[in-house]
């Protein structure tokens, strides 16, 4: 009997907490920078080197990224962005059939200012990214061995890190608006090339800053982001 009573009390508390939670402010977003505007994303990672997604040297990985944030405490929001990509979703680019991309970005945001039209915030974002592809007629770096060209190779990349972010939500009409954000942090990237066909050593001096995208093994880099999201906000 006592156990049933405790279960009932716990259930009531849980239901009350959940009902209060779902009544809070929620934001649903779509990241147009990561999904549509690659020239703005990874602006701090490429050292200004122009690249294209069509070659094996691209620095932008096409995907569709959606987000959800909820006000969990006064002035505190918790959320997550999830991005995914493949040939079918990368309709603006000529990606291979083997291309796949997945990212998960949980974030906590602390509101510095808010009114009916504007929310100014800072926050902490964690992220994990995994993508695969097959490149043709490209090159890669073997740590301690040099640079090698190849006719074809399977590519796998995993990136994990954290960023301090700052942003502004600006509601333009009704409940729709634009979220501008920027951030800086650190990342650990692991790259692996496999199934390499017709590998030959590259004797030409390597001058480009593609270690982050082409060198096998674990590497640590600074991470910078700058972007824009469209959002819909659901009020209390």
């Amino acid at each position: 009997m006592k156990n049933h009573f405790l279960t009932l009390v716990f259930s009531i508390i849980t239901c009350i907490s959940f009902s209060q939670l779902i009544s809070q402010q929620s934001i649903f977003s779509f990241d147009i920078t990561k999904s549509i505007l690659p020239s703005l994303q990874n602006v701090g990672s490429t050292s200004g080197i122009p690249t294209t997604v069509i070659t094996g040297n691209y620095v932008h990985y096409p995907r569709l990224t959606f987000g959800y944030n909820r006000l969990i405490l006064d002035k505190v929001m918790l959320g997550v962005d999830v991005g995914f990509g493949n040939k079918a979703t990368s309709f603006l680019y000529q990606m291979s059939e083997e291309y796949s991309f997945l990212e998960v970005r949980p974030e906590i945001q602390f509101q510095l200012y808010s009114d009916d039209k504007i929310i100014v915030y800072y926050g902490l974002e964690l992220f994990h990214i995994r993508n695969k592809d097959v490149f043709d007629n490209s090159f890669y770096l073997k740590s301690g061995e040099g640079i090698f060209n190849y006719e074809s190779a399977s590519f796998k990349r995993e990136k994990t890190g954290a960023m301090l972010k700052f942003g502004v939500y600006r509601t333009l009409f009704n409940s729709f608006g634009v979220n501008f954000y920027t951030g800086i942090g650190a990342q650990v990237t692991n790259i692996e090339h496999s199934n390499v066909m017709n590998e030959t050593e590259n004797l030409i001096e390597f001058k480009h800053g593609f270690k982050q995208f082409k060198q096998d093994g674990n590497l640590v880099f600074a991470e910078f982001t700058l972007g824009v999201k469209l959002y819909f906000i659901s009020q209390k």
Side-chain angles (χ1 to χ4, degrees):
M1 185 67 179
K2 182 179 179 181
N3 290 337
H4 287 296
F5 176 75
L6 292 175
T7 301
L8 179 60
V9 171
F10 177 76
S11 300
I12 292 173
I13 294 174
T14 301
C15 290
I16 292 173
S17 300
F18 183 73
S19 65
Q20 291 176 340
L21 181 62
I22 63 175
S23 68
Q24 299 300 310
Q25 184 183 73
S26 298
I27 296 177
F28 304 87
S29 63
F30 175 67
D31 196 316
I32 61 174
T33 308
K34 292 187 176 74
S35 303
I36 300 175
L37 303 174
S39 60
L40 295 181
Q41 191 64 19
N42 297 316
V43 65
S45 303
T46 65
S47 302
I49 300 169
T51 57
T52 170
V53 297
I54 298 175
T55 72
N57 300 335
Y58 61 71
V59 297
H60 175 71
Y61 299 90
R63 69 271 208 181
L64 301 178
T65 300
F66 299 90
Y68 176 72
N69 293 72
R70 180 181 292 279
L71 190 68
I72 59 170
L73 296 170
D74 185 35
K75 304 294 185 180
V76 180
M77 298 193 76
L78 188 65
V80 63
D81 281 11
V82 176
F84 58 92
N86 53 36
K87 182 175 176 60
T89 62
S90 306
F91 46 87
L92 296 179
Y93 309 98
Q94 299 178 22
M95 307 305 292
S96 71
E97 293 287 348
E98 293 82 5
Y99 173 71
S100 67
F101 183 98
L102 177 65
E103 68 176 342
V104 179
R105 295 177 176 269
E107 181 178 1
I108 185 168
Q109 298 175 353
F110 302 93
Q111 297 180 4
L112 296 171
Y113 172 83
S114 64
D115 59 25
D116 291 341
K117 293 293 184 180
I118 295 177
I119 299 174
V120 181
Y121 68 90
Y122 70 95
L124 174 66
E125 177 187 89
L126 307 178
F127 58 87
H128 182 74
I129 294 172
R130 176 181 298 178
N131 75 283
K132 297 180 180 180
D133 208 339
V134 173
F135 293 151
D136 296 322
N137 300 314
S138 189
F139 66 92
Y140 73 114
L141 290 76
K142 287 185 181 180
S143 181
E145 296 186 42
I147 307 161
F148 294 85
N149 299 324
Y150 56 78
E151 287 189 8
S152 178
S154 299
F155 170 87
K156 182 173 73 172
R157 179 184 71 128
E158 291 196 29
K159 184 169 80 168
T160 302
M163 281 193 292
L164 294 174
K165 295 181 68 177
F166 175 83
V168 177
Y169 292 99
R170 179 64 169 92
T171 301
L172 301 177
F173 59 93
N174 294 330
S175 297
F176 295 89
V178 181
N179 172 210
F180 301 96
Y181 65 86
T182 187
I184 189 169
Q187 55 149 306
V188 177
T189 295
N190 177 268
I191 290 178
E192 178 184 340
H193 290 80
S194 60
N195 302 320
V196 180
M197 297 180 60
N198 296 329
E199 178 182 271
T200 58
E201 186 174 2
N202 188 337
L203 301 178
I204 300 174
E205 183 181 356
F206 185 72
K207 296 182 179 180
H208 301 298
F210 283 116
K211 280 189 175 183
Q212 181 171 352
F213 312 98
K214 289 294 188 179
Q215 181 167 317
D216 276 3
N218 290 307
L219 295 169
V220 178
F221 296 95
E223 180 79 358
F224 176 74
T225 191
L226 176 68
V228 181
K229 297 179 183 179
L230 302 178
Y231 71 83
F232 169 79
I233 187 168
S234 174
Q235 301 291 348
K236 294 181 181 179

